[in-house]
Amino acid sequence: MTGRLIVVSNRIPMGDVPSGGLVVAIHEALSERGGLWIGAHPDVVDEATEEFADLPSNGYEKKAFRITEEDHQTHYLGYANSVLWPLCHHRADLLAMEPSYFPGYVALNERVARMIARIAEPEDMIWVQDYHFLPLAQALRKEGVTGRIGLFLHIPFPHAGDLDALSERELFLDWFAAFDMVGLQTQADVARCLETFRSAGKGEMMLDGRLKVGKRKFDVLSLPIGIDAERFAEMATEHDGRSLLNLSPREDIIIGVDRLDYSKGLPGRFRGFGRFLDMSEEGDRRVSLLQIAPPTREDVAAYAEIRDELESLSGKINGAHTELDWTPIRYIHRPVPRDTLAALYRVSRIGLVTPLADGMNLVAKEYVAAQDPEDPGVLVLSRTAGAAEQMEEALLINPYDADDIARAIARGLAMPLEERRERHKALLEGVMRDNVSAWCEACLGWLERPRRPTHEDAQQSQAQETT
Ligand code: ADP
């Protein structure tokens, strides 16, 4: 492949040097290869033209498309986050469908496709990130783009039963089929994807592992995302987490870090911690839960509800257990700088990660990277998080079962040093090896892979020649 790499993601860093795992990986890939990064401009405009705004960058191009308030309501808050997000996170009960959402979502994708089609060369390779742009490949094909187009879906592929709740179910599958490569986080996602196509009578598995839908053939692959593990491990030693928290020598910390989202299993986590306190005997040490959960997507109703529920739960648990000099749940609603976060992970005896559904969960990997290998903490991880497929040495729990969470907390706190080291060593090896650069290389490697014509291709062209 000699063309440019074009990355499309909803969020695009505005400054020169981005921070945070995914954007850093994309920045590095583009810096190395050159190319173009396309994303949504964060400032809303009254009328969106079909002209890109050029953003400052070094070594590669960056362009932003403009969005209107209506795009924000129907595309971002609407179809993406009130329909696709709950659908893919196994919460079809939270789907909020408004008549304007679907047309708004498709219209934005079509607009971006027209803009890209005007600047894309036939040899360019387009790599699309996430659920904001599922119709993009189909729209680009309609605009005559013939080059390689890949998708990476960061969130889970929906369960077949949940997809029945989507009026555009058939179209949803056609959107995927317009890509050349569909990257999913886990093997379980791949299995769900293939089964969904099969049960819809749409897909045919080819001998070379690709899925064939109509005339299109595409790869469906598990390519689990990682973090910038080395950088994170370094950052974790830059500050002393115990003094940041002003911890007394008798206090141990359990840490939870999440966006405030109903998929993260936060009420269950609080209940599990509450049960742990109920069953703990009064002793010398005190164990606190430090939950950092800044609100997100507050304009979506389901997000306001979770905030109220958590405040009431933490109030109840603190009410039952608080003492004069100690509050069991410390609940912080703000984002925390990454170096502070890394230091806080490092001093926490347990990383408590309990999503009900999660594409991957990067917090689990960050917690492991931040530990002191000589005296590491214990990762308690939901078996329904994508990360559990790679992180079997964590204490895997059922996030719906508060007693299971309570028992894992107790087990983690009592775990002998040798077992902690063994588990951590195995987890750290994986987190370091399968880091975000390896993920990026693997995705781009698949997308670039030259394809030899298959037996099916030969048969098809023979058939075309004889007609
Ligand atoms: P999601 O992508 O659904 O939010 P992940 O766990 O995969 O979940 O990624 C969350 C990312 O956001 C992690 O890198 C985490 O460190 C970061 N993050 C979450 N909450 C906070 C916070 N309060 N302050 C700073 N960073 C946060």
Side-chain angles (χ1 to χ4, degrees):
M1 272 263 150
T2 50
R4 281 178 306 178
L5 169 63
I6 301 179
V7 179
V8 185
S9 65
N10 190 56
R11 204 164 279 167
I12 185 164
M14 297 303 281
D16 247 4
V17 186
S19 68
L22 173 64
V23 285
V24 168
I26 292 175
H27 168 77
E28 279 173 5
L30 284 165
S31 302
E32 221 168 85
R33 298 158 185 255
L36 169 61
W37 191 344
I38 294 171
H41 199 289
D43 302 332
V44 163
V45 287
D46 289 339
E47 204 164 326
T49 63
E50 296 200 1
E51 293 297 317
F52 282 115
D54 288 315
L55 300 180
S57 67
N58 248 334
Y60 59 91
E61 279 183 277
K62 263 194 325 196
K63 290 182 185 294
F65 56 87
R66 309 303 303 241
I67 57 162
T68 62
E69 182 54 33
E70 194 187 336
D71 294 326
H72 181 64
Q73 292 295 334
T74 60
H75 171 268
Y76 181 77
L77 291 176
Y79 201 76
N81 283 309
S82 300
V83 177
L84 293 176
W85 180 275
L87 186 87
C88 293
H89 288 87
H90 210 18
R91 292 299 303 267
D93 58 311
L94 293 179
L95 248 73
M97 291 200 217
E98 291 293 330
S100 60
Y101 289 176
F102 177 71
Y105 179 74
V106 173
L108 182 116
N109 273 276
E110 288 179 344
R111 190 166 85 226
V112 174
R114 283 193 297 276
M115 293 166 73
I116 296 176
R118 277 205 292 276
I119 56 169
E121 303 290 337
E123 288 296 298
D124 288 346
M125 181 170 85
I126 302 175
W127 189 28
V128 178
Q129 305 293 319
D130 230 356
Y131 61 104
H132 312 91
F133 300 109
L134 298 185
L136 194 61
Q138 195 184 54
L140 284 164
R141 302 293 182 210
K142 278 191 196 140
E143 295 298 322
V145 174
T146 53
R148 292 273 171 91
I149 311 176
L151 169 73
F152 189 81
L153 186 67
H154 292 254
I155 64 176
F157 192 89
H159 291 250
D162 290 338
L163 255 187
D164 289 339
L166 195 68
S167 310
E168 304 81 24
R169 179 179 185 271
E170 294 291 307
L171 196 52
F172 181 89
L173 298 182
D174 292 341
W175 288 340
F176 280 82
F179 289 93
D180 295 293
M181 184 206 79
V182 170
L184 302 172
Q185 297 275 25
T186 64
Q187 304 280 359
D189 287 304
V190 171
R192 276 202 296 278
C193 178
L194 297 181
E195 173 53 20
T196 305
F197 274 96
R198 193 202 59 77
S199 62
K202 268 185 176 286
E204 186 191 325
M205 199 59 159
M206 294 177 62
L207 291 175
D208 67 356
R210 282 182 296 171
L211 196 63
K212 183 172 171 210
V213 177
K215 285 193 178 149
R216 289 209 53 82
K217 304 174 193 102
F218 60 105
D219 286 299
V220 180
L221 303 157
S222 161
L223 296 161
I225 196 169
I227 60 164
D228 185 0
E230 259 180 49
R231 175 74 198 111
F232 212 83
E234 265 167 37
M235 259 189 321
T237 59
E238 285 169 11
H239 304 285
D240 172 18
R242 287 197 79 87
S243 39
L244 289 175
L245 291 169
N246 201 13
L247 283 189
S248 85
R250 27 187 314 232
E251 191 171 352
D252 285 328
I253 291 286
I254 297 174
I255 194 165
V257 176
D258 312 77
R259 279 181 309 99
L260 190 49
D261 193 296
Y262 50 78
S263 66
K264 300 293 179 185
L266 290 162
R269 184 179 313 174
F270 280 19
R271 280 191 207 100
F273 178 66
R275 296 274 170 89
F276 161 77
L277 292 177
D278 292 340
M279 72 189 205
S280 303
E281 286 178 18
E282 202 136 313
D284 269 357
R285 298 207 66 77
R286 280 171 172 166
V287 182
S288 314
L289 173 62
L290 172 66
Q291 178 61 55
I292 305 176
T296 48
R297 306 173 193 164
E298 284 178 285
D299 299 332
V300 176
Y303 287 76
E305 286 159 20
I306 177 94
R307 186 178 180 152
D308 292 345
E309 185 181 1
L310 278 180
E311 272 167 19
S312 130
L313 255 175
S314 62
K316 265 191 210 151
I317 295 168
N318 278 341
H321 296 277
T322 294
E323 289 175 22
L324 278 178
D325 58 348
W326 172 64
T327 310
I329 300 184
R330 301 195 194 189
Y331 182 14
I332 299 175
H333 297 259
R334 293 183 308 278
V336 169
R338 291 189 75 67
D339 53 347
T340 307
L341 199 59
L344 296 179
Y345 285 137
R346 192 173 175 92
V347 293
S348 300
R349 301 306 311 159
I350 288 184
L352 192 52
V353 182
T354 60
L356 306 176
D358 214 330
M360 175 51 58
N361 196 287
L362 298 179
V363 167
K365 296 188 171 183
E366 290 169 358
Y367 177 76
V368 167
Q371 296 307 298
D372 173 1
E374 295 306 311
D375 184 18
V378 175
L379 175 66
V380 174
L381 175 62
S382 164
R383 65 185 193 210
T384 53
E389 218 173 71
Q390 292 173 299
M391 304 183 89
E392 288 172 351
E393 296 82 4
L395 295 184
L396 296 181
I397 51 97
N398 172 3
Y400 294 92
D401 182 349
D403 285 319
D404 199 30
I405 297 175
R407 282 192 299 270
I409 293 174
R411 185 175 164 202
L413 289 171
M415 191 179 284
L417 178 63
E418 199 173 327
E419 184 179 350
R420 279 190 281 128
R421 279 187 186 156
E422 267 171 31
R423 286 177 182 269
H424 176 258
K425 185 166 180 266
L427 288 169
L428 186 66
E429 263 172 30
V431 168
M432 288 285 176
R433 183 190 57 231
D434 303 325
N435 63 14
V436 71
S437 313
W439 166 79
C440 202
E441 286 304 311
C443 291
L444 293 176
W446 270 98
L447 194 51
E448 278 171 334
R449 230 170 109 154
R451 279 282 176 196
R452 268 183 288 144
T454 59
H455 179 60
E456 287 99 327
D457 291 325
Q459 279 184 330
Q460 199 173 326
S461 56
Q462 233 173 22
Q464 275 163 0
E465 274 165 26
T466 51
T467 51

